[in-house]
Amino acid sequence: MPRRLPDTPDVDTPTRGPARVERIVARVRSIPEGFVRTYGDIDPGAPRLVGHVLATTDLDLPWHRVVRADGSAPVGRRQLDLLRREGVPMRAGRVDLSVARLPG
DNA sequence: GGTCTGACGGACA
DNA sequence: ATGTCCGCCAGAC
């Protein structure tokens, strides 16, 4: 008898290990100026991992284009300024996701 | 091996 | 709106 069953295959077959981090980096990198993506959009299976990556990486990424699911900015005013400068629409101090959120 | 912690998200009170 | 709880994954001890 196997000591454990194989992971349930799902539609998404998330990558595991360092490859997953690479995928996150790639997705952040691909956010065009003037748009944002949420942590959950970048990695639905592990949004916190996205934060972990952004907080520890030394790569030059458009980190300011990653916001929370409600459009608020985890890093604060500095981040909002950067976004405003790119013309990202705001509403009540948060990003207006209905307009700025990148599809997919 | 185990335990904790992130720039989170969703459910629920 | 505000706060709690739990799940998620990789990395650092």
Side-chain angles (χ1 to χ4, degrees):
Chain A
M1 284 295 273
R3 314 243 251 80
R4 86 183 178 107
L5 300 172
D7 293 329
T8 327
D10 30 17
V11 209
D12 197 10
T13 35
T15 60
R16 284 290 187 160
R20 186 156 193 167
V21 172
E22 299 249 345
R23 191 180 66 175
I24 289 171
V25 168
R27 288 192 176 173
V28 171
R29 219 174 233 141
S30 72
I31 306 172
E33 193 180 323
F35 291 85
V36 301
R37 270 217 261 254
T38 69
Y39 292 83
D41 289 342
I42 292 169
D43 191 330
R48 300 191 72 176
L49 180 57
V50 177
H52 185 68
V53 170
L54 290 180
T56 59
T57 186
D58 30 344
L59 291 109
D60 186 23
L61 303 173
W63 57 268
H64 57 288
R65 297 179 190 144
V66 183
V67 299
R68 298 197 183 101
D70 66 353
S72 62
V75 179
R77 199 166 82 236
R78 233 219 27 283
Q79 179 174 11
L80 289 175
D81 289 338
L82 289 169
L83 292 173
R84 265 191 289 269
R85 238 169 280 167
E86 296 187 352
V88 173
M90 307 280 189
R91 258 201 347 172
R94 317 191 276 105
V95 172
D96 185 350
L97 290 180
S98 68
V99 185
R101 187 183 205 159
L102 219 45

